Amino acid sequence: MKNLFTPYEFKGLQLKNRVVMPPMCQYSVTNKDGIATDWHYNHYVSRAVGGTGLIIIEMADVEPDGRITDYDLGLWSDEQIPALKRIVDAIHAHGAKVGIQVAHAGRKAEDAPVPVSSSAIPFDADSKTPRALTTAEVKEMVGKFGKAVERAVQAGFDVIELHGAHGYLIHQFHSPLTNQRTDEYGQDLNLFGKEVIAAAKSVMPADMPLIMRISAQEYVEGGYGIAESLEISRAYKEAGADIFHISAGGEGPIAAAGKPGTHAAYQVPLARSIKQELNVPVIAVGRLDEAVLADAVIGNEEADLIAVGRGMLRNPYWTLEAGVQLGKDAGVPKQYTFGFPRARA
């Protein structure tokens, strides 16, 4: 019977447990140059010390105007590689594996003078109206994703995640709400995402998994649901995505169609559906901070990996605490054994 501390292996990725720190923007690049700082180093390495199996570093953008804010990480320049490699090497030294989320904010790029998107539709009444990318610019954007992934590979990451969720650029292309194009990228709403996947895979080692994060349900008026996201995911699987990170929302103001559920594990049914229908590994996320609940999702085979976000912001040693609660060996560092009595048993 699998549990939260059962090792996980897929292609060349070998994890000591099934706990994932999902990407959460820190907005802490004080020089606005996209280069990771000491804050990022301490933030991520502490979670490796804390026993996390896989750490996914926050959204790193493929061009300066692709950032949510100017304080975000970047992967548009070789100058951004060394600071990330320093973090990667330290995480590896503490026994964890590490990925990075590669993305473009599209119309949600708050500090871009003129954001870009699939179509010229603003996020809401208070947001800037984006400029629709030309067909040629879309193809150039695919290349920018490829170059960013190549830099991530050079930095030593174990896995790459593409951000196709939460209303960012890939999501803007595959959502009928935001893609009203008439060119090839409007005729096939998944085409941009598929081409980005192909560009990423072309520069990744063959045994390195590619994660695609999607919003499996849009909590907006007229938004898509699980039936449509299954088709989106199927297209991305066929294009080469290996693992799916299942979230929801972000494509518009949720008040227009009611708020999503806020109960524990409210997104797990979405992850379970995609796992079962497409026979792919999935990461479940969303209010899974209780160790017993996270363990149950794995044990019930509803997901393969569990992402713990807010819980890990509160406690970098969430995984070690979960081991105590579940009576499992979480690999407590010898320096911390006096704080975890079960680790000395």
Side-chain angles (χ1 to χ4, degrees):
M1 181 70 70
K2 300 182 182 70
N3 62 67
L4 197 61
F5 289 92
T6 303
Y8 180 76
E9 183 173 348
F10 187 88
K11 288 189 168 182
L13 180 67
Q14 297 179 340
L15 305 179
K16 62 183 179 180
N17 59 49
R18 294 171 183 246
V19 181
V20 177
M21 180 183 185
M24 293 174 284
C25 288
Q26 298 296 291
Y27 305 111
S28 296
V29 181
T30 51
N31 290 335
K32 301 184 181 183
D33 55 7
I35 297 175
T37 67
D38 284 345
W39 172 266
H40 297 94
Y41 180 92
N42 293 324
H43 174 64
Y44 291 112
V45 176
S46 65
R47 274 71 186 177
V49 173
T52 309
L54 173 62
I55 295 163
I56 306 178
I57 288 178
E58 67 201 77
M59 178 171 169
D61 300 285
V62 304
E63 65 176 3
D65 283 348
R67 293 173 288 181
I68 303 171
T69 77
D70 286 348
Y71 296 95
D72 293 355
L73 291 179
L75 270 171
W76 67 79
S77 169
D78 290 351
E79 294 179 357
Q80 293 153 347
I81 295 174
L84 290 172
K85 187 178 188 306
R86 174 176 174 249
I87 296 172
V88 168
D89 290 346
I91 287 173
H92 285 161
H94 292 289
K97 297 300 172 66
V98 56
I100 192 167
Q101 186 182 73
V102 180
H104 190 294
R107 69 176 186 169
K108 296 179 81 172
E110 298 173 8
D111 291 337
V114 181
V116 297
S117 184
S118 51
S119 300
I121 304 170
F123 178 75
D124 58 23
D126 298 322
S127 300
K128 299 171 185 175
T129 298
R131 178 180 65 80
L133 291 162
T134 67
T135 304
E137 287 173 332
V138 176
K139 295 184 184 299
E140 291 174 2
M141 188 66 72
V142 171
K144 291 177 182 179
F145 269 90
K147 290 297 293 182
V149 170
E150 187 174 18
R151 293 185 182 100
V153 171
Q154 292 174 22
F157 286 97
D158 303 292
V159 63
I160 304 296
E161 177 171 291
L162 296 175
H163 202 346
H166 301 167
Y168 298 118
L169 189 61
I170 294 174
H171 187 173
Q172 290 163 31
F173 269 86
H174 70 227
S175 173
L177 291 174
T178 42
N179 187 341
Q180 298 181 7
R181 303 174 69 92
T182 57
D183 65 356
E184 59 191 296
Y185 294 99
Q187 294 164 10
D188 178 358
L189 273 59
N190 301 323
L191 180 59
F192 177 63
K194 291 188 293 186
E195 290 184 346
V196 169
I197 290 169
K201 297 286 278 193
S202 72
V203 296
M204 292 168 58
D207 65 345
M208 178 184 287
L210 178 65
I211 303 171
M212 174 61 84
R213 194 174 205 189
I214 67 159
S215 288
Q217 181 167 333
E218 292 182 314
Y219 293 106
V220 293
E221 201 68 46
Y224 66 70
I226 186 62
E228 293 82 3
S229 61
L230 280 168
E231 293 307 309
I232 294 167
S233 299
R234 183 173 286 107
Y236 290 162
K237 176 188 176 183
E238 292 173 356
D242 296 301
I243 301 171
F244 286 80
H245 191 170
I246 310 303
S247 190
E251 184 59 345
I254 61 174
K259 294 183 178 180
T262 55
H263 52 279
Y266 72 101
Q267 293 180 152
V268 168
L270 299 171
R272 180 178 61 237
S273 294
I274 290 174
K275 175 177 172 62
Q276 292 177 347
E277 290 290 330
L278 300 185
N279 192 29
V280 292
V282 299
I283 304 171
V285 66
R287 296 184 66 87
L288 294 170
D289 296 354
E290 296 299 325
V292 172
L293 175 58
D295 190 56
V297 173
I298 296 296
N300 291 330
E301 297 186 346
E302 297 177 286
D304 301 273
L305 300 166
I306 300 295
V308 178
R310 290 173 175 83
M312 210 169 284
L313 287 180
R314 292 191 299 270
N315 179 8
Y317 310 110
W318 185 94
T319 307
L320 303 183
E321 293 282 5
V324 171
Q325 294 174 39
L326 298 172
K328 302 294 183 181
D329 179 9
V332 176
K334 64 179 182 180
Q335 298 92 333
Y336 287 178
T337 52
F338 283 104
F340 295 89
R342 289 175 185 259
R344 302 201 305 274

